[in-house]
Amino acid sequence: EAQVTQNPRYLITVTGKKLTVTCSQNMNHEYMSWYRQDPGLGLRQIYYSMNVEVTDKGDVPEGYKVSRKEKRNFPLILESPSPNQTSLYFCASSPGTAGGTEAFFGQGTRLTVV
Amino acid sequence: GQNIDQPTEMTATEGAIVQINCTYQTSGFNGLFWYQQHAGEAPTFLSYNVLDGLEEKGRFSSFLSRSKGYSYLLLKELQMKDSASYLCAANSGYSTLTFGKGTMLLVSP
């Protein structure tokens, strides 16, 4: 089954404790991205990647890192999480870098930083 | 810069028709997407328009006017399961999507 898989689905952590949210897709998609979704603010892009070893900042990259060592995986790293990073996170992938290609979303990771 | 505007909330009755509007201003434009998102779940693709005009897909239709920076999603024969948030997103090049804040639609019996 074609899918984007995120782990974990839920995470409660403490301020400053490094964490990684994994994202994997089995559709051989070139383009992957991370979003955060907050009430009243909608989906905002954190980082994106157009292919292996090619990543770039989105609209809200501060406090986050990403890597794209393999085509299928695009982990999101929070080196020192803070409470303002409490949010619902979505990973997405799409077939190519040309416009008009549908994005497929993972099921989301609800992160709480206390 | 990028700006996507859509109403925050709408209500409608089961069986009715509802139109959700979206206006956009983006630097570079390569099409307009609509996604549906139920509470706590992932967004799912509904439609894509890149040329002016109406695209129909069953109970859902989407319209685009590039010259006006305007789109709408039309939902017919509303069902209770259509209660969800509807996200308008502009494709500003490559696969980058800029999302609006979403329109929460509540369908009542």
Side-chain angles (χ1 to χ4, degrees):
Chain A
E1 180 191 352
Q3 59 187 3
V4 179
T5 304
Q6 293 178 229
N7 279 297
R9 292 289 310 277
Y10 302 91
L11 178 61
I12 301 174
T13 190
V14 296
T15 299
K17 185 177 181 183
K18 181 180 178 179
L19 67 91
T20 299
V21 184
T22 63
C23 174
S24 181
Q25 51 93 5
N26 62 1
M27 297 169 277
N28 201 37
H29 286 172
E30 291 182 355
Y31 188 93
M32 298 184 74
S33 57
W34 276 102
Y35 294 87
R36 62 178 287 173
Q37 187 172 37
D38 303 289
L41 296 177
L43 278 162
R44 295 179 292 166
Q45 192 178 54
I46 303 170
Y47 267 94
Y48 65 93
S49 168
M50 290 195 285
N51 215 324
V52 175
E53 303 291 3
V54 181
T55 64
D56 209 345
K57 296 176 181 178
D59 298 319
V60 287
E62 295 77 20
Y64 304 94
K65 284 174 57 177
V66 293
S67 69
R68 188 92 181 272
K69 293 183 169 50
E70 306 163 283
K71 200 171 189 180
R72 63 184 293 127
N73 296 323
F74 190 45
L76 179 70
I77 303 155
L78 285 72
E79 295 269 5
S80 182
S82 61
N84 65 11
Q85 292 178 297
T86 292
S87 187
L88 179 58
Y89 291 86
F90 287 102
C91 178
S93 74
S94 54
T97 54
T101 52
E102 171 193 346
F104 295 82
F105 286 82
Q107 289 305 300
T109 295
R110 189 168 289 284
L111 172 67
T112 302
V113 183
V114 299
Chain B
Q2 327 277 34
N3 192 44
I4 315 280
D5 281 320
Q6 51 181 131
T8 304
E9 289 181 353
M10 298 183 72
T11 58
T13 307
E14 201 172 10
I17 299 172
V18 71
Q19 177 175 312
I20 303 174
N21 296 324
C22 170
T23 59
Y24 64 89
Q25 291 173 298
T26 59
S27 51
F29 179 76
N30 207 2
L32 197 290
F33 288 86
W34 284 95
Y35 284 82
Q36 180 191 60
Q37 186 180 25
H38 286 98
E41 297 183 8
T44 54
F45 170 79
L46 287 177
S47 69
Y48 170 70
N49 296 66
V50 66
L51 300 176
D52 285 359
L54 188 69
E55 295 276 345
E56 297 187 75
K57 248 192 208 183
R59 293 190 299 116
F60 292 8
S61 303
S62 57
F63 172 84
L64 177 68
S65 168
R66 294 177 69 128
S67 61
K68 295 181 180 176
Y70 168 69
S71 174
Y72 68 72
L73 180 69
L74 192 71
L75 294 78
K76 303 175 191 172
E77 301 168 19
L78 280 173
Q79 302 175 9
M80 298 296 289
K81 68 178 181 180
D82 297 328
S83 291
S85 186
Y86 291 86
L87 313 179
C88 172
N91 184 183
S92 53
Y94 297 107
S95 290
T96 298
L97 291 177
T98 300
F99 283 86
K101 295 177 182 177
T103 299
M104 181 68 67
L105 174 66
L106 178 63
V107 180
S108 57

